[in-house]
Amino acid sequence: MRITCRVIGSLFNRQPQDPLLVPLFTLLREGKLQAQWPLEQDELLTRLQQNSDPQALAADYNALFVGSDCKVSPYASQWPEGKTEPEVRAFLTSRGMPLSDAPADHFGVLLLAASWLEDQSAEDESSAQLALFEGYLLPWCGTFLGKVEAHATTAFYRTLAALSREAIQAMYNELLDSTDSQQDA
C-alpha cells in the first residue's frame, strides 16, 4: 500500500515538472513502475506510461488544481463532504505526522499521510489508516476524481484519476480485512 499512496499522492501533490518527480516520471516512462506496483492495474499503468511527458502535463495540472479559478479543487475543505483544513491538520498532528505550512487537506497530502501512517507501524496503524480513509478521504474523493476525469485535457490525468479510484478502493478493502483479522485474533 505504501508505494501506491506515495506515487499517487506525489503525482497529485506536485507540479509535473517538479524536480522531485523526475525519478518517478523516469520509472513511468521506462515501464518500470509496473514491476513494483502491488495492484493489478497494468492497463492503466501502460496508459500513464504512454502519456507521461511532464512538460506536456503542466498546463493541464495548473488548469485542474492550481489557483482560485482551478477546475477541480484538490482540497477536502472545498467539497461539501470534506472536512475542514483545521480538522484534517488536527487529526494528522494527533498521529504525530510532521506538517508544513501547506494546507493539510490536499488530496495528495492525504495519500502521503496514509503512507506515512503505514511507515510508523504503530500497533494501531491500521485503525489510524482506516480513520484517515473513512473520515478524511473517502467521503469526497470519488466526487473529486470524477471531476478530474471530466475536466482533464490529458489522458495522463484522466487515467491517474481512474487508477486512483481503483487503488483507493483496493487499499480500503485491504484495511478493512486487516482490521477484521486483528479483531478476530
Side-chain angles (χ1 to χ4, degrees):
M1 183 161 122
R2 187 175 298 132
I3 184 175
T4 311
C5 288
R6 278 211 190 109
V7 168
I8 296 170
S10 295
L11 289 172
F12 274 104
N13 197 40
R14 296 188 178 277
Q15 299 266 354
Q17 67 278 26
D18 187 312
L20 291 172
L21 289 184
V22 169
L24 179 53
F25 273 107
T26 302
L27 279 176
L28 259 174
R29 267 196 309 281
E30 293 174 356
K32 293 181 178 165
L33 188 61
Q34 279 153 310
Q36 301 169 28
W37 200 252
L39 302 168
E40 292 293 319
Q41 293 184 297
D42 285 356
E43 185 185 323
L44 290 169
L45 288 167
T46 299
R47 218 178 314 153
L48 280 184
Q49 179 186 353
Q50 293 162 348
N51 298 283
S52 60
D53 173 18
Q55 298 309 317
L57 300 175
D60 197 22
Y61 182 92
N62 286 318
L64 284 168
F65 308 123
V66 178
S68 55
D69 57 348
C70 66
K71 293 179 184 158
V72 189
S73 175
Y75 300 102
S77 57
Q78 301 299 308
W79 296 88
E81 309 85 359
K83 297 266 196 250
T84 67
E85 196 280 340
E87 288 174 300
V88 175
R89 182 171 290 276
F91 170 77
L92 296 176
T93 304
S94 76
R95 305 302 316 167
M97 185 173 171
L99 294 170
S100 70
D101 291 339
D105 63 330
H106 189 287
F107 179 73
V109 171
L110 289 169
L111 285 169
L112 293 168
S115 170
W116 186 88
L117 287 169
E118 186 175 358
D119 285 346
Q120 297 314 299
S121 296
E123 287 174 22
D124 64 344
E125 82 174 54
S126 291
S127 63
Q129 285 178 300
L130 201 57
L132 176 73
F133 272 72
E134 289 179 339
Y136 301 91
L137 196 56
L138 291 173
W140 67 282
C141 76
T143 311
F144 165 74
L145 292 168
K147 295 248 189 238
V148 172
E149 275 184 291
H151 291 287
T153 58
T154 58
F156 183 87
Y157 285 108
R158 283 193 301 274
T159 304
L160 182 61
L163 177 116
S164 300
R165 182 180 295 111
E166 283 183 15
I168 287 168
Q169 190 59 56
M171 290 185 288
Y172 178 60
N173 291 342
E174 189 181 307
L175 280 171
L176 287 175
D177 290 347
S178 74
T179 50
D180 286 349
S181 60
Q182 284 175 3
Q183 288 168 351
D184 294 343

